[in-house]
Amino acid sequence: MEKTLFFIKPDAVKRNLVGKIITRVEDSGFRLGNLTLVKLKKEGAEEFYQIHKGKEFFDKLIESVSSGPVVAMVLEKDNAVKDLRELVGATDPQKAKKGSIRSDFGLDVTRNSCHASDSPKNAPDEILFFFPEKD
Ligand code: IDP
Ligand code: MG
């Protein structure tokens, strides 16, 4: 059983999409291992997204992801990382596959409704960022 880190971004929390998005994830065979609602400080968001520091979209991303609470969760399933990326869709909602979470709920590339770990290598560190005690 693989674990991955998923969070619903502030743009989607503000639009009351938490239930709808979690339903999609559960209906796709993922089990919730842990869950929290937390508002990231700018510094926390910068730490989480440090690999993107210096890119032209960085400031906008940090502003958006720290603009309100996120709902972060550990999701468990065989091939959880790859299968969740598939369910989430491409970064740009306009380019995301029809029926994917970002295609259906994303507003634009910054406010694309959710985050999912991109590799089995990064997932454990991302889980530890939100859940330092457990998992
Ligand atoms: P991912 O979330 O699909 O893994 P990353 O390339 O890791 O995409 O970028 C992290 C986040 O930064 C994206 O989810 C998106 O919100 C934002 N982002 C990425 N590329 C762009 C861009 O070209 N313009 C604006 N925002 C971007
Ligand atoms: Mg990424």
Side-chain angles (χ1 to χ4, degrees):
M1 196 68 83
E2 193 173 65
K3 295 179 185 191
T4 191
L5 189 279
F6 179 64
F7 70 78
I8 304 173
K9 290 182 175 180
D11 70 87
V13 176
K14 286 174 197 162
R15 287 178 288 140
N16 292 353
L17 292 170
V18 171
K20 282 199 177 98
I21 291 174
I22 292 180
T23 294
R24 289 212 182 185
V25 163
E26 288 190 311
D27 286 352
S28 301
F30 294 87
R31 179 154 303 146
L32 268 172
N34 212 340
L35 181 140
T36 184
L37 182 141
V38 61
K39 188 172 185 295
L40 296 177
K41 293 189 167 71
K42 267 193 145 182
E43 299 71 41
E46 283 171 0
E47 186 192 334
F48 185 84
Y49 281 116
Q50 57 186 293
I51 57 155
H52 296 302
K53 207 173 165 123
K55 295 183 185 167
E56 38 83 25
F57 61 81
F58 186 73
D59 290 351
K60 216 170 147 187
L61 169 64
I62 298 309
E63 190 67 43
S64 182
V65 90
S66 61
S67 68
V70 304
V71 176
M73 59 205 92
V74 177
L75 296 177
E76 303 174 353
K77 184 184 179 296
D78 288 338
N79 300 310
V81 172
K82 188 168 168 285
D83 289 357
L84 186 65
R85 293 285 292 190
E86 181 76 19
L87 182 67
V88 160
T91 308
D92 182 348
Q94 300 229 47
K95 293 176 186 155
K97 206 172 68 184
K98 241 185 133 196
S100 65
I101 293 173
R102 282 169 167 171
S103 171
D104 288 343
F105 300 122
L107 294 174
D108 52 43
V109 69
T110 304
R111 298 171 300 167
N112 57 4
S113 80
C114 59
H115 168 90
S117 300
D118 68 357
S119 64
K121 182 178 172 289
N122 289 335
D125 288 342
E126 293 196 349
I127 289 170
L128 274 174
F129 177 88
F130 283 98
F131 305 100
E133 305 287 323
K134 289 184 170 185
D135 295 293

